[in-house]
Amino acid sequence: MRKNRRTLHKDFRILTLDDDYIMTSTLQAYFQRSGYYVDVVNDPYQAIEQVRNGKYDILLLDFLMSPVCGDQVVEEIRRFNKEIYIILLTGHKSMAPPIKTIRDLDIQGYYEKSDRFDQLELLVESCVKSISQMRIIQNYKNGLSLMMEALPQIYDLDNTRSIYESILSITLNIFQGDRSFLMISDFTASQGENELHLLGDITEEEVRDIVKNAHFDGQKVITLADMLLAPIEDEEHKIIGILGTDPGVSPEYVQVQMMEIYIRQISSALHNSQLHRLVSTKNEELTKAYEQLNESYVEIINAMRTIVGERDIYTRGHSDRVSAIAADIAGQMKKDKHTIERIRLAGLFHDIGKVGISDKILLKPDKLNEEEYANIKKHSGKGAKILSAITLFNDVVPIVRSHHEWIDGRGYPDGLKGDAIPEESKIIAVADSFDAMTSHRHYRSNLSLAQALDELRRGKGTQFAPEVVDAFLEMLDEMGEEKAMEKYGTGKAVEEEGENE
């Protein structure tokens, strides 16, 4: 059943500030009727403290107030809270805040007061949509992180009973539910041979009733009786069990996606456990299972790489572009197919370490301080550590680690110089810098193609390997500016991407 708007809005908290008591009371009544939680305050200084100490999603405040104006209130709030969405209210168009103020203070919009709140409600709903998308991304990121931490427990090949217990407890942790079950059986056998494991307030009778009515029909995840259900399959895609969990609320898209990833881990883990007990006679199957495990790790890392890009529209697609540019440079330098493919892969994952950098630093709209920059510089080492867990990526680990090293030794994380830097890292460095310079960012506009190329020339022999820069310049000269900009998607205004979402 679809949620109505009141139900959808109940998870969003609004604070409304105006020195006019009638206005705040009217706004509170209007938005409470739509299902929002609304607090009111009439003193600007009290409002600042409430935002500091409370958890509000949206702030509605008057522009002209006493003793301080709305823009001064916002300026103070932005010192400690970058996430809250803010809408300024004005009495007349002539009293609207300057566009520069709106941009500088990251204000989401303003509304001219009237006896109708239709336009204001639309602005609020637009904020709610954006907040919902950010929550989905954050929940997806948190769920994937929990899965990564849980993999060693799930793949405990020495103790099948421990695997079952781990699966259920991790399920509750990931999906924030209060009950889950795991039924393992040969579905060609009789009902009595099912092996059932329960966690939380759920009975065997409830589970058997749910399972009896579960029809997957090729689907990986279904919702039944408010529970997420997923089939556990063997290597021949035959159903050998069912995992179910109750997330406490109607399952959302992101939870379904996480369940699909998680159930593949479980299927692989249980299959590995069976193979481990037969290792003396089934070495070939065991090898295949470990390959599937590697593929599962790759799947999660790819999902994490996507999340890094989705966290910020200003860097979306950056890794894909760096991968393409770097591979083309390697081709221009006549590298063999294996080397080009290795560079392409390293380009895709060169920023994977940023999944561990906080949003406050990664999405900061102005210049980083020394401590924040030191934190950002850790991403290449973190990325190498993440990839080193996968045998398949052993040959790209040093490339990812060293893609911020400089030829003169002033780079990071190891201060390598000259020939000590992997050649593939030198190629990634040029591609990475070029895309960064020609892309819009929070804190600056993009450089033109000519300006970016001038910067690369100036960095030859200090930051960049001269032979790589020369190969890139030759390639762009042969390709032509128009084709290069079209192929690599550089220089596009971020507003264009945002408007199409």
Side-chain angles (χ1 to χ4, degrees), residues 432-454:
D432 186 24
S433 295
F434 173 75
D435 185 74
M437 288 188 288
T438 56
S439 299
H440 288 262
R441 295 297 169 94
H442 299 278
Y443 45 85
R444 58 144 178 84
S445 296
N446 63 302
L447 300 183
S448 67
L449 179 62
Q451 290 172 322
L453 297 184
D454 284 341

Side-chain angles (χ1 to χ4, degrees), residues 229-496:
L229 303 176
I232 300 170
E233 299 179 341
D234 63 14
E235 73 279 13
E236 296 176 351
H237 302 291
K238 175 184 174 184
I239 295 178
I240 59 171
I242 292 179
L243 174 68
T245 187
D246 183 355
V249 295
S250 297
E252 297 178 347
Y253 173 78
V254 66
Q255 293 172 308
V256 173
Q257 294 298 301
M258 285 196 295
M259 178 64 96
E260 287 189 8
I261 294 175
Y262 185 49
I263 203 66
R264 284 195 285 271
Q265 305 300 315
I266 294 172
S267 295
S268 180
L270 294 180
H271 179 51
N272 285 358
S273 178
Q274 295 169 359
L275 294 179
H276 187 68
R277 295 194 298 269
L278 302 172
V279 67
S280 60
T281 57
K282 294 193 175 184
N283 283 328
E284 184 177 346
E285 287 186 46
L286 185 60
T287 300
K288 182 179 178 182
Y290 279 119
E291 288 174 354
Q292 291 174 346
L293 173 58
N294 253 348
E295 290 172 3
S296 297
Y297 270 108
V298 172
E299 179 183 9
I300 288 181
I301 287 181
N302 265 317
M304 293 172 69
R305 180 178 71 85
T306 300
I307 288 172
V308 171
E310 290 296 321
R311 287 165 77 185
D312 183 13
I313 64 173
Y314 289 85
T315 57
R316 189 171 299 159
H318 169 68
S319 294
D320 293 320
R321 293 193 298 271
V322 169
S323 175
I325 295 168
D328 286 351
I329 294 174
Q332 183 75 14
M333 296 175 72
K334 310 300 183 187
K335 299 301 176 184
D336 61 79
K337 291 182 179 179
H338 179 72
T339 300
I340 293 174
E341 190 54 37
R342 186 166 62 243
I343 290 171
R344 188 190 307 279
L345 190 62
L348 286 175
F349 294 140
H350 77 285
D351 273 347
I352 188 68
K354 287 185 178 178
V355 75
I357 306 296
S358 75
D359 286 348
K360 288 186 177 179
I361 296 176
L362 200 60
L363 305 182
K364 187 175 181 180
D366 44 24
K367 188 175 181 180
L368 300 178
N369 60 37
E370 187 174 338
E371 182 181 352
E372 291 167 336
Y373 183 57
N375 200 315
I376 280 284
K377 288 166 66 175
K378 294 178 182 178
H379 80 273
S380 54
K382 289 181 177 180
K385 186 174 181 180
I386 290 171
L387 295 173
S388 66
I390 309 170
T391 304
L392 184 65
F393 292 151
N394 279 351
D395 55 355
V396 303
V397 168
I399 305 173
V400 170
R401 182 175 180 84
S402 301
H403 75 277
H404 279 295
E405 300 287 0
W406 285 30
I407 299 301
D408 63 6
R410 291 187 294 135
Y412 61 86
D414 304 309
L416 303 180
K417 63 188 300 185
D419 293 337
I421 304 171
E423 185 178 35
E424 297 94 331
S425 298
K426 298 174 184 176
I427 294 174
I428 295 290
V430 170
D432 186 24
S433 295
F434 173 75
D435 185 74
M437 288 188 288
T438 56
S439 299
H440 288 262
R441 295 297 169 94
H442 299 278
Y443 45 85
R444 58 144 178 84
S445 296
N446 63 302
L447 300 183
S448 67
L449 179 62
Q451 290 172 322
L453 297 184
D454 284 341
E455 288 296 320
L456 291 178
R457 292 187 186 97
R458 275 192 284 273
K460 286 173 59 174
T462 53
Q463 182 176 357
F464 307 115
E467 67 276 13
V468 178
V469 174
D470 290 340
F472 184 44
L473 295 176
E474 290 170 7
M475 181 182 76
L476 290 186
D477 186 57
E478 295 171 6
M479 188 181 298
E481 178 176 347
E482 184 177 343
K483 184 177 178 181
M485 300 299 277
E486 179 183 353
K487 181 174 183 180
Y488 300 128
T490 56
K492 291 182 178 178
V494 70
E495 288 83 6
E496 293 177 6

Side-chain angles (χ1 to χ4, degrees), residues 171-211:
T171 299
L172 292 186
N173 197 17
I174 292 173
F175 297 96
Q176 298 296 299
D178 55 9
R179 57 183 191 154
S180 62
F181 73 86
L182 177 66
M183 177 177 281
I184 301 295
S185 89
D186 178 357
F187 276 69
T188 62
S190 65
Q191 187 84 355
E193 294 185 25
N194 292 335
E195 187 174 358
L196 184 61
H197 305 270
L198 308 174
L199 191 59
D201 184 21
I202 189 168
T203 66
E204 181 175 337
E205 183 179 357
E206 285 181 276
V207 171
R208 297 200 181 279
D209 187 53
I210 291 170
V211 171

